Amino acid sequence: MKAAFLATLLTLATAVSAVPQYTKPGKPEKLPPKGFVYPKGRELFIDGKTFYFGGTNTYYLYYAAKQDIDALFADAKKLNVKVLRTWLFAEAARDYYWDKSEFSPVTPDTQEIVWFQRFNNNTKKIEYNDSTHTGLGRFDYVLESAKRHGIKIIPVFTNNWNNFGGIDWYLQSFNQSGHPVKWHTDFYTYKPVKDAYKNWVSHVINRKSKITGKKYKEDPTVFAWELANEPRCMGWGTPWSTPEPGLCDSGKNAKVIINWADEMSTYIKTLDPHHMVMVGDEGQFNRPNGPGYNMVWDDVWNGASGVDTEAFLRLKNIDVGTFHSYFDYSWVNDAYKYVEKGNAPGADLDPIFSNNTATWIKEHAAVGKKVGKPVIFEEIGVEYRVGTPGYNLTTDTRRVKNMPIFNKLVEDLGLAGSMYWQLNSKWVRSPDGWYNGTDYHAIFAHPVREQDKYANIIMGNHNKRMWAKNSKKN
Ligand SMILES: *[C@@H]1O[C@H](CO)[C@@H](O)[C@H](O)[C@H]1NC(C)=O
Ligand SMILES: *[C@@H]1O[C@H](CO)[C@@H](O)[C@H](O)[C@H]1NC(C)=O
Ligand SMILES: *[C@@H]1O[C@H](CO)[C@@H](O)[C@H](O)[C@H]1NC(C)=O
Ligand SMILES: *[C@@H]1O[C@H](CO)[C@@H](O)[C@H](O)[C@H]1NC(C)=O
Ligand SMILES: *[C@@H]1O[C@H](CO)[C@@H](O)[C@H](O)[C@H]1NC(C)=O
Ligand SMILES: *[C@@H]1O[C@H](CO)[C@@H](O)[C@H](O)[C@H]1NC(C)=O
């Protein structure tokens, strides 16, 4: 999820990119150890039984207090959450980021900055912080608490967006150390930067938890590794956020991220053959003549963001496909088109948004079927808009009306899982507004506002039905 979006106007693509067809879906060559989730055809399995799930996202666990982590997982468990996606990146300590303004999280108790990687401008080297109080060691507790609550985790290795560092942080670091990096796409193509990313991935996968004594790669609490949150050819809001000219201005070069995803997923499997790997993309297509091509924000269909979700899914070492959708912003809905035409967004657009989100879900289910691999609806968010001018809402009718429609589609179309963005436990001490719920998609499991009373309608009931599919099938 990205807080702000750019309505970039992109040239319409006419070229279709030639995409390598790597995959042989079907039976896994070798079953993973007990408790690991694995794909077989369009379904997920665990210990020989199907694993349909409902889940959620809560991105900030690595800098939350232990009691808040426990409270969140306890609430998630009550809502039948079986998989939870969270950030495993914290690349920029405040003083090291390009304009020093980027938010760096701090520990809830001593208010020290939490960071996993930073660039040391004296040694010109990237350093890791493995401390259990201020560094990667904090994630040991996230995994252990998740396990205690019967929940599996999707850890995400970096961010396309500059929140907490991300891809542009790698680029800034290399630029500062005298490497000629300039473009967002250098992250996917420039060997020294790719090596730095691989080092991080290897560092995490081989970390031994101080709590369980197990390496992360041996821990079945990890559902799947995720390459990045929403990788695209372009970032947002830093000097490193534009793609190299010619690389992403049409669908013809959508290969840049596909090749990167192929290389990185293959690398991960050499370190850890048992966990699944996912890209973490938003699910854009590269098919200029696809349905709705003229209906929607263009890069959703023409590969212009460098994303081709079907090509990702066909990669040999990508096990599960992902897609995201925000009712109120980009992806497959007409929000930008309407706003660009001078219309204020408002309640009258909701039926159109609802229809387009349904189309988006159907298109992705169809891709899973065509390729023969599982696909999950990894981020879905609808803003409650209570009290927003133009909506006149005093109750959360938008989510209450729309989420059951989307949830039913997920169930009926055979998607392997879906995950609301995002679940919070309750108001907690917080260094930033996001942690405290100014994300207008958030559900608080302990209702403090009218719009928090519907957690079961929005996700809980659906999660329960998804889980019940397993007992029917097995
Ligand atoms: C990094 O160090 C160089 C000297 O090696 C200095 O010129 C530059 O201002 C420093 N950059 C930052 C962001 O501190
Ligand atoms: C980790 O970060 C904290 C807080 O910034 C710092 O005090 C500590 O020295 C760091 N640890 C390492 C190993 O760099
Ligand atoms: C990248 O490094 C070069 C050479 O040191 C410098 O001139 C340029 O300003 C840097 N780019 C940014 C965006 O800071
Ligand atoms: C939504 O889709 C249905 C079925 O395709 C169609 O009948 C209806 O007109 C659409 N509504 C809007 C607002 O686009
Ligand atoms: C919202 O309420 C105001 C005042 O009651 C009214 O003027 C306006 O037309 C309403 N807007 C909508 C979209 O219903
Ligand atoms: C979080 O937000 C709630 C509701 O606005 C407020 O009452 C509480 O004081 C906030 N907590 C912190 C730590 O900012």
Side-chain angles (χ1 to χ4, degrees), residues 10-15 249-252 286 288 293 302-304:
L10 297 155
T11 330
L12 299 187
T14 48
D249 52 3
S250 76
K252 69 181 185 296
N286 183 6
Y293 181 53
N302 70 9

Side-chain angles (χ1 to χ4, degrees), residues 95-98 100 119-122 124 172 176-177:
D95 293 345
Y96 295 81
Y97 205 56
W98 71 284
K100 302 191 180 187
F119 179 72
N120 183 326
N121 194 37
N122 297 319
K124 308 287 178 205
Q172 177 200 25
Q176 242 171 286
S177 62

Side-chain angles (χ1 to χ4, degrees), residues 419-467:
M419 313 177 77
Y420 192 77
W421 180 284
Q422 70 159 346
L423 181 67
N424 289 357
S425 178
K426 56 191 170 190
W427 297 117
V428 286
R429 83 200 93 178
S430 165
D432 70 324
W434 287 71
Y435 192 171
N436 200 17
T438 54
D439 171 347
Y440 297 107
H441 309 97
I443 294 170
F444 282 79
H446 293 268
V448 287
R449 305 163 303 180
E450 204 278 339
Q451 61 265 36
D452 296 320
K453 289 177 188 155
Y454 308 105
N456 274 311
I457 295 174
I458 294 166
M459 72 160 90
N461 300 340
H462 164 66
N463 293 348
K464 202 171 174 177
R465 285 194 301 271
M466 288 294 275
W467 198 242

Side-chain angles (χ1 to χ4, degrees), residues 368-414:
K369 208 166 176 180
K370 187 170 154 197
V371 176
K373 286 190 184 178
V375 169
I376 64 175
F377 195 2
E378 195 188 47
E379 290 188 18
I380 162 69
V382 180
E383 291 199 348
Y384 44 77
R385 298 279 186 187
V386 172
T388 306
Y391 290 83
N392 287 4
L393 294 179
T394 52
T395 65
D396 191 3
T397 48
R398 296 183 97 220
R399 294 196 299 194
V400 165
K401 193 171 150 206
N402 287 294
M403 282 308 299
I405 298 173
F406 306 151
N407 288 338
K408 179 146 195 322
L409 275 173
V410 165
E411 292 159 26
D412 292 350
L413 296 173

Side-chain angles (χ1 to χ4, degrees), residues 145-418:
S145 181
K147 180 171 186 249
R148 236 188 299 131
H149 292 91
I151 292 171
K152 292 193 185 289
I153 295 290
I154 300 175
V156 186
F157 285 128
T158 194
N159 199 355
N160 188 65
W161 314 111
N162 62 22
N163 310 88
F164 308 105
I167 285 175
D168 292 351
W169 168 85
Y170 279 92
L171 298 172
Q172 177 200 25
S173 301
F174 275 86
N175 198 58
Q176 242 171 286
S177 62
H179 291 258
V181 286
K182 196 169 171 184
W183 312 109
H184 196 72
T185 40
D186 290 337
F187 178 78
Y188 306 110
T189 58
Y190 188 53
K191 188 169 183 300
V193 179
K194 290 197 286 183
D195 288 345
Y197 172 86
K198 284 182 180 169
N199 288 343
W200 173 245
V201 164
S202 166
H203 185 69
V204 169
I205 288 177
N206 287 305
R207 177 179 170 81
K208 192 187 260 185
S209 164
K210 289 229 159 55
I211 302 172
T212 63
K214 252 189 202 163
K215 285 191 176 176
Y216 283 13
K217 67 177 169 188
E218 298 161 348
D219 190 346
T221 310
V222 173
F223 171 86
W225 300 114
E226 188 161 296
L227 299 185
N229 176 50
E230 304 183 338
R232 287 193 194 183
C233 274
M234 55 292 284
W236 186 81
T238 81
W240 295 273
S241 54
T242 32
E244 185 175 339
L247 280 198
C248 291
D249 52 3
S250 76
K252 69 181 185 296
N253 271 308
K255 277 192 196 136
V256 176
I257 309 180
I258 297 166
N259 290 341
W260 176 82
D262 187 28
E263 178 179 345
M264 296 310 163
S265 56
T266 303
Y267 176 69
I268 290 172
K269 295 282 182 174
T270 65
L271 303 174
D272 173 359
H274 300 312
H275 282 112
M276 301 189 293
V277 179
M278 316 194 291
V279 175
D281 61 299
E282 302 148 283
Q284 293 97 332
F285 295 96
N286 183 6
R287 35 180 214 205
N289 302 311
Y293 181 53
N294 297 313
M295 175 179 91
V296 294
W297 195 37
D298 299 321
D299 76 340
V300 164
W301 299 104
N302 70 9
S305 58
V307 174
D308 180 340
T309 202
E310 186 174 328
F312 287 154
L313 193 57
R314 288 187 188 279
L315 292 173
K316 181 167 186 287
N317 291 311
I318 292 299
D319 299 291
V320 183
T322 59
F323 66 103
H324 299 178
S325 174
Y326 287 87
F327 195 75
D328 299 87
Y329 303 105
S330 62
W331 296 272
V332 63
N333 73 44
D334 285 342
Y336 280 108
K337 208 165 131 188
Y338 278 80
V339 174
E340 277 159 16
K341 280 187 183 160
N343 296 307
D348 51 334
L349 294 182
D350 281 7
I352 297 168
F353 293 176
S354 186
N355 263 23
N356 288 345
T357 305
T359 302
W360 193 234
I361 297 169
K362 288 175 197 163
E363 288 297 329
H364 283 91
V367 167
K369 208 166 176 180
K370 187 170 154 197
V371 176
K373 286 190 184 178
V375 169
I376 64 175
F377 195 2
E378 195 188 47
E379 290 188 18
I380 162 69
V382 180
E383 291 199 348
Y384 44 77
R385 298 279 186 187
V386 172
T388 306
Y391 290 83
N392 287 4
L393 294 179
T394 52
T395 65
D396 191 3
T397 48
R398 296 183 97 220
R399 294 196 299 194
V400 165
K401 193 171 150 206
N402 287 294
M403 282 308 299
I405 298 173
F406 306 151
N407 288 338
K408 179 146 195 322
L409 275 173
V410 165
E411 292 159 26
D412 292 350
L413 296 173
L415 289 168
S418 71

